[in-house]
Structure formats: structure tokens, C-alpha cells
């Protein structure tokens, strides 16, 4: 996997900053993209995914966490956005039953807890590691990515 050198790090002082970053990345996303959202519980993975989905589609879209359903899909124009929360996935192979092959082929995939997929995670992906900042609502996002993600995100990193 090709990566950024050095990886861009975004300081996100509040949830609105997280939403703004998600919207900028949503503007660069294409069908077939896989975006892996890593981080501890409460680090902002679901908030990022909600903002991404709303930026790509309907700003008023109800975007529940797929914690119990494991996957939710949303239509954004001609592309489907698949939001996976794999925290409760028992084994990586169970992801086939969720439609992950279709999501990887034609949709945009947002995956919380991507480590649960193991070797099923495609190398051509953007990884966003969310961590806690110094203040209660602050977060930090570190991006690494393969394929052409470094080029696509170059403008985002320099304008942030």
C-alpha cells in the first residue's frame, strides 16, 4: 500500500471540524473507494461517517449508527454509500453476508472497526485514524492511503 509521506494529520477542535473534514473527503470519494475508520470507542468514527453521508447526499438524512444492523446503505446520486460497523462481527468471513463484495466493487464503503476484516480489507483504501485531542471535544485524524489517495487528498491537507 502506498502511503502519504508524512501522513497528513488534521487537528479537529470540535465536531464541526470533523464534519468539515468528512465533507471535503466525501467530495473526493469515488465508486469503489474504501474508507477505513479506526479509533477507540467515542473517537468520532460514526460522527465522521454521518457527516460524510450527509455531505454526499441529503444534508437532513437520518443516519443511525449501524452498531446492531452492522450495515446501512444510502443512495447518493448514482452511487450507494455502504456504512459498516463491524464491532460485533464474529469472523471476517461473515462480511460476505453483509454484501461487502458488492460494496467494494461499486459503492463507497465507510468501515468502522476495519481490523475485524483482516485480510479481506483491500490494500487500495484510505485509512483515517481518529484519536482523542487534548480537550474533551477535540479529535485528531491521521490519514494514510493507497492507490491515488495521496494525490486526491493533497489539496485537502494543504488547505486545512
Amino acid at each position: 500500500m502506498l502511503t502519504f509521506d508524512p501522513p497528513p494529520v488534521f487537528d479537529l477542535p470540535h465536531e464541526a471540524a470533523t464534519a468539515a473534514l468528512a465533507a471535503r473527503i466525501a467530495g473526493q470519494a469515488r465508486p469503489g473507494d474504501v474508507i477505513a475508520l479506526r479509533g477507540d470507542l467515542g473517537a468520532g468514527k460514526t460522527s465522521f461517517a454521518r457527516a460524510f453521508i450527509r455531505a454526499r447526499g441529503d444534508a437532513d438524512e437520518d443516519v443511525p449508527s449501524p452498531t446492531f444492523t452492522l450495515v446501512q446503505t444510502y443512495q447518493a446520486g448514482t452511487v450507494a454509500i455502504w456504512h459498516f460497523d463491524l464491532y460485533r462481527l464474529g469472523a471476517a468471513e461473515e462480511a460476505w453476508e453483509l454484501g461487502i463484495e458488492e460494496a467494494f466493487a461499486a459503492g463507497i464503503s465507510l468501515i468502522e472497526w476495519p481490523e475485524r476484516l483482516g485480510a479481506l480489507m483491500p490494500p487500495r483504501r484510505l485509512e483515517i485514524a481518529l484519536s482523542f485531542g487534548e480537550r474533551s471535544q477535540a479529535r485528531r485524524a491521521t490519514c494514510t492511503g493507497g492507490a491515488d489517495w495521496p494525490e486526491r487528498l493533497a489539496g485537502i491537507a494543504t488547505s486545512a
Side-chain angles (χ1 to χ4, degrees):
M1 175 166 74
L2 298 173
T3 60
F4 300 93
D5 187 26
V9 176
F10 300 92
D11 287 313
L12 307 168
H14 40 71
E15 192 170 346
T18 300
L21 176 62
R24 292 194 313 259
I25 291 173
Q28 295 295 317
R30 303 175 186 149
D33 281 342
V34 175
I35 301 171
L37 301 170
R38 296 185 179 272
D40 291 333
L41 285 171
K45 299 179 297 296
T46 301
S47 292
F48 183 97
R50 276 190 184 111
F52 182 104
I53 292 163
R54 288 176 177 152
R56 267 313 271 244
D58 180 357
D60 296 321
E61 179 85 44
D62 181 31
V63 183
S65 173
T67 299
F68 295 103
T69 60
L70 302 182
V71 64
Q72 295 282 344
T73 58
Y74 304 89
Q75 198 62 39
T78 60
V79 67
I81 299 173
W82 296 65
H83 180 195
F84 296 91
D85 183 332
L86 303 179
Y87 185 76
R88 297 177 54 242
L89 194 69
E93 295 75 26
E94 292 175 12
W96 299 120
E97 296 172 25
L98 301 175
I100 206 155
E101 187 173 33
E102 180 183 346
F104 286 175
I108 296 172
S109 302
L110 301 172
I111 303 176
E112 297 185 46
W113 305 101
E115 59 275 10
R116 306 276 185 177
L117 285 180
L120 295 181
M121 275 300 291
R124 187 188 168 276
R125 66 182 179 267
L126 173 65
E127 292 215 11
I128 302 172
L130 293 160
S131 58
F132 295 98
E134 293 180 17
R135 293 189 314 250
S136 65
Q137 297 300 312
R139 301 293 185 264
R140 175 172 279 178
T142 303
C143 299
T144 55
D148 62 346
W149 274 110
E151 293 81 19
R152 284 196 262 169
L153 294 183
I156 290 173
T158 58
S159 68

